[in-house]
Amino acid sequence: MEVMDKMEAVETPVVVETTEAVETTEAAKTPETVGAPETMEDYKEELEASFRKISVGDIISGTVIDVNEEEVTLDLKYYAPGVIKAADLSNDPNFKVLNDVKVGDVLEATVVRTDDGAGNIQLSKKEANDILAWEKLQEYKEEEKALDVKVAGIVPSGVVAYVEGIRGFIPASQLALSYVEVDDSWLGRELQVRVLTVEEPKKKLVMSAKVILKEKAVEEHNHRISMMVPGSVLEGTVESLMPYGAFVDLGDGISGLVHISQISQKRIAKPSEVLSVGQKVKVKILNTNDNKVSLSMKALQEEMVDVDKTPQVREYVSGEKASTSLGDLLRGIKLNN
């Protein structure tokens, strides 16, 4: 029995070591260490690229992977990269490759050649622009989108600016809120514009900075009105007389209306009976509803009348000297013996 126990004691470690070795071998085969078996799905993009056909004239998009002064390289998810020469990027004379194109940008371009001699797909963004840009410009017009542009040239009665590589015209009358003389000082100026006219067949693009400036001016004007407090008294100048009332200039570009019923306490047939253009008047703000200022002169007159009617408290003075001495209190009192 002692011999058998010794043999079992020797054999037991051998069995344990064998089990650990098997477990280690199985662990080595798990996906965590070896990786899952590759399938056709893993090569889906590569397979699609190999079967994809690119032809001259196609408009394709790609992601910029390299930029230099001479050209831009695109990843087309194709077995060959796309290349756009600097001269084929834009018609805008202000365009600078290194400033206006960045790695990661997605560009659309037309296929010019399927092999430029170096195994690349030669592309032209300018050609794609001639097709796609007009569609975008029409969308900008419909959306009334504000666009940032830079003045690239001066022409008779206006300036030239480029949007999506398309040459556009901004008339002098649409450059500012009031008419301006166009000279070389406008070159390089940055403007915010909105598209007014898009006519692809005529290659006509007309834009306006004035419409946006007007909207901003109205917004600022309405904000100033919203800050006015009803009940406040202001001084203004009568700027015009109408059958229904008088408009008073309150300064800062704000005018208010004094309705004919709010001009005077007495009944008048027309404002000119008591007011004249250029006259200085004091008015009270009634309200600022719908961004319109309603004023009253009558309210101030009524307040003045109320003040005049207020009873005055008068102080009574007898002219006699007050005294509290004992002699004064006993004076006039007769005592009987």
Side-chain angles (χ1 to χ4, degrees), residues 141-156:
K141 179 188 175 185
E142 292 171 359
E143 296 170 1
E144 298 185 345
K145 184 175 181 179
L147 305 169
D148 295 317
V149 301
K150 182 182 287 187
V151 175
I154 307 298
V155 295

Side-chain angles (χ1 to χ4, degrees), residues 15-242:
V15 173
V16 172
E17 287 178 1
T18 303
T19 302
E20 290 176 352
V22 171
E23 288 175 349
T24 303
T25 304
E26 290 299 323
K29 293 180 181 180
T30 59
E32 286 79 2
T33 55
V34 176
E38 295 178 340
T39 65
M40 294 296 286
E41 190 66 26
D42 297 318
Y43 298 98
K44 183 178 179 181
E45 289 189 4
E46 287 82 354
L47 288 169
E48 287 178 352
S50 65
F51 289 113
R52 181 181 174 193
K53 182 174 176 60
I54 291 179
S55 304
V56 173
D58 289 350
I59 295 178
I60 57 178
S61 64
T63 304
V64 176
I65 56 176
D66 185 60
V67 181
N68 59 56
E69 292 183 351
E70 297 180 353
E71 62 186 25
V72 171
T73 304
L74 306 181
D75 175 11
L76 305 175
K77 296 193 180 301
Y78 193 61
Y79 63 82
V83 171
I84 308 175
K85 298 295 182 183
D88 293 322
L89 280 165
S90 177
N91 287 314
D92 187 347
N94 292 319
F95 182 86
K96 304 293 182 187
V97 181
L98 297 179
N99 291 339
D100 298 327
V101 181
K102 299 288 185 288
V103 172
D105 289 351
V106 176
L107 305 181
E108 289 180 301
T110 301
V111 177
V112 177
R113 295 168 61 190
T114 54
D115 189 340
D116 64 354
N120 304 311
I121 308 294
Q122 186 175 337
L123 306 168
S124 171
K125 191 174 185 301
K126 288 195 326 190
E127 287 190 23
N129 273 352
D130 290 339
I131 299 171
L132 300 175
W134 289 101
E135 295 177 5
K136 289 184 179 179
L137 290 170
Q138 187 61 43
E139 289 177 7
Y140 294 157
K141 179 188 175 185
E142 292 171 359
E143 296 170 1
E144 298 185 345
K145 184 175 181 179
L147 305 169
D148 295 317
V149 301
K150 182 182 287 187
V151 175
I154 307 298
V155 295
S157 69
V159 302
V160 170
Y162 287 79
V163 180
E164 298 294 339
I166 301 298
R167 184 178 184 272
F169 174 60
I170 307 174
S173 61
Q174 296 297 319
L175 284 170
L177 289 174
S178 56
Y179 181 78
V180 294
E181 291 291 338
V182 180
D183 53 33
D184 290 343
S185 67
W186 283 86
L187 277 175
R189 283 200 200 182
E190 294 183 353
L191 303 172
Q192 202 168 50
V193 300
R194 187 164 290 153
V195 176
L196 295 183
T197 305
V198 177
E199 294 182 17
E200 183 180 357
K202 297 181 180 180
K203 303 299 180 186
K204 184 179 180 181
L205 171 62
V206 181
M207 300 174 289
S208 170
K210 183 177 181 177
V211 292
I212 291 181
L213 293 173
K214 213 168 186 178
E215 289 172 1
K216 288 182 177 179
V218 170
E219 190 176 316
E220 291 173 4
H221 177 267
N222 292 343
H223 176 69
R224 289 197 296 271
I225 289 178
S226 69
M227 299 301 290
M228 301 179 80
V229 181
S232 301
V233 177
L234 304 173
E235 185 175 72
T237 304
V238 177
E239 60 181 359
S240 64
L241 298 175
M242 307 298 289

